[in-house]
């Protein structure tokens, strides 16, 4: 249920947990990964754990409430999104990613489920959420192969390598899906496939040449085609190195139109 918090001047969601163990686990999952506090108008990281409390045999946690839906929910209704809105959403969550990258953080799970759309204002505002799998660049710990969503993995992630440009690749896939209604590579995954089989299928599908977004959406200009395809390059050296570079490229296209 919703509560108000005068200290933060915004509504929060207060959710009951079943036990003290749940509180501890929630605090770890929400505030873990080295206490990644990532302030910024375009971030709603899972570390934004506000408080816990005990009332009438129930434990509660309070987190910031977003009045809206996920990008995934929007895409289920509209399949693809018009160019203006898709570009705004892309730039919004890339600004959140830029804040994270300035602090040497890799999100590792960028996909439509983790991009929230806030409808508080006239135009929806996209927020990058769920930093539960995020990790700082300098953390010398082993990263699980299962981190993130396979379909949004950058090629190097299948080898256990996670870089800031890996998040750029995932963000490029989100942009492509918003504009075309589909991911650039089609993969049939069986529910019984294990992680190795899924990875093999995805890697194999990506050997096919990328189709330009403009083939499916005539509103996409050749210049924006180039920007998106660069973000999806399988070659790390040819891809944008950071969210900031990706933002600059998109804005460069917008300013020339």
């Amino acid at each position: 249920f919703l509560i108000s918090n005068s200290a933060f001047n915004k509504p929060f969601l207060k959710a009951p947990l079943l036990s003290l163990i749940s509180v501890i686990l929630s605090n770890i999952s929400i505030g873990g990964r080295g206490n990644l506090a990532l302030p910024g108008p375009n971030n709603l990281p899972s570390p934004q754990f506000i408080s816990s409390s005990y009332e009438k045999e129930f434990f509660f946690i309070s987190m910031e409430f977003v009045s809206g839906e996920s990008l995934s929910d929007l895409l289920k209704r509209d399949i693809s999104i018009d160019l203006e809105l898709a570009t705004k959403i892309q730039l919004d969550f890339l600004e959140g990613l830029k804040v994270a990258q300035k602090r040497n953080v890799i999100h590792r799970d960028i996909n439509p489920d983790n991009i929230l759309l806030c409808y508080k204002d006239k135009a929806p505002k996209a927020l990058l959420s769920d930093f539960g799998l995020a990790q700082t660049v300098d953390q010398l710990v082993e990263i699980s192969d299962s981190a993130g969503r396979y379909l949004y993995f950058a090629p190097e992630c299948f080898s256990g390598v996670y870089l800031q440009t890996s998040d750029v690749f995932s963000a490029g896939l989100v942009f492509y899906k918003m504009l075309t209604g589909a991911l650039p590579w089609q993969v049939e995954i069986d529910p019984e496939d294990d992680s190795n089989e899924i990875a093999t299928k995805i890697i194999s599908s990506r050997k096919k040449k990328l189709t330009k977004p403009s083939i499916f959406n005539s509103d996409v200009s050749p210049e924006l085609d180039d920007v998106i395809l660069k973000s999806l390059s399988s070659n790390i050296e040819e891809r944008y190195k950071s969210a900031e570079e990706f933002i600059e490229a998109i804005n460069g296209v917008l300013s020339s139109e």
Side-chain angles (χ1 to χ4, degrees), residues 4-12 120:
S4 61
N5 189 313
S6 58
F8 292 91
N9 193 31
K10 61 179 68 173
F12 288 88
K120 183 175 64 174

Side-chain angles (χ1 to χ4, degrees), residues 44-114:
L44 186 72
S46 51
Q48 197 155 350
F49 172 76
I50 304 303
S51 66
S52 63
S53 59
Y54 176 72
E55 302 171 19
K56 297 181 180 179
E57 299 182 356
F58 285 95
F59 290 90
F60 293 84
I61 58 171
S62 303
M63 298 169 288
E64 185 176 346
F65 173 73
V66 175
S67 178
E69 62 183 344
S70 70
L71 176 57
S72 181
D73 291 331
L74 177 60
L75 289 170
K76 287 175 184 176
R77 290 200 314 275
D78 294 347
I79 301 179
S80 62
I81 304 173
D82 70 78
L83 178 62
E84 183 178 358
L85 178 57
T87 303
K88 182 188 184 307
I89 291 172
Q90 185 74 13
L91 289 173
D92 276 355
F93 85 79
L94 281 176
E95 285 290 346
L97 181 60
K98 182 175 79 171
V99 171
Q101 292 186 342
K102 292 290 185 182
R103 294 177 176 237
N104 293 323
V105 170
I106 303 172
H107 186 283
R108 301 199 303 145
D109 196 16
I110 293 177
N111 66 80
D113 285 343
N114 291 335

Side-chain angles (χ1 to χ4, degrees), residues 32-190:
R33 302 292 175 186
N35 192 24
L36 298 177
L38 298 170
N42 298 93
N43 274 336
L44 186 72
S46 51
Q48 197 155 350
F49 172 76
I50 304 303
S51 66
S52 63
S53 59
Y54 176 72
E55 302 171 19
K56 297 181 180 179
E57 299 182 356
F58 285 95
F59 290 90
F60 293 84
I61 58 171
S62 303
M63 298 169 288
E64 185 176 346
F65 173 73
V66 175
S67 178
E69 62 183 344
S70 70
L71 176 57
S72 181
D73 291 331
L74 177 60
L75 289 170
K76 287 175 184 176
R77 290 200 314 275
D78 294 347
I79 301 179
S80 62
I81 304 173
D82 70 78
L83 178 62
E84 183 178 358
L85 178 57
T87 303
K88 182 188 184 307
I89 291 172
Q90 185 74 13
L91 289 173
D92 276 355
F93 85 79
L94 281 176
E95 285 290 346
L97 181 60
K98 182 175 79 171
V99 171
Q101 292 186 342
K102 292 290 185 182
R103 294 177 176 237
N104 293 323
V105 170
I106 303 172
H107 186 283
R108 301 199 303 145
D109 196 16
I110 293 177
N111 66 80
D113 285 343
N114 291 335
I115 297 168
L116 303 184
L117 305 178
C118 179
Y119 294 131
K120 183 175 64 174
D121 301 318
K122 185 176 180 180
K125 180 178 182 180
L127 303 169
L128 182 58
S129 71
D130 196 348
F131 282 73
L133 295 176
Q135 193 137 10
T136 54
V137 175
D138 57 353
Q139 276 187 308
L140 300 178
V141 298
E142 184 177 350
I143 299 176
S144 170
D145 289 338
S146 62
R149 313 293 171 87
Y150 285 109
L151 289 175
Y152 288 86
F153 265 17
E156 61 274 9
C157 296
F158 290 105
S159 299
V161 176
Y162 294 82
L163 306 167
Q164 290 191 346
T165 188
S166 306
D167 281 343
V168 168
F169 185 94
S170 301
L173 285 175
V174 171
F175 203 10
Y176 192 104
K177 185 173 177 65
M178 283 196 289
L179 293 171
T180 69
L183 292 172
W185 301 281
Q186 299 305 305
V187 186
E188 291 187 11
I189 298 176
D190 190 288

Side-chain angles (χ1 to χ4, degrees), residues 210-226:
L210 261 176
T211 303
K212 295 179 179 180
S214 59
I215 298 297
F216 306 104
N217 186 337
S218 59
D219 291 334
V220 178
S221 67
E223 292 77 16
L224 187 56
D225 266 340
D226 291 340

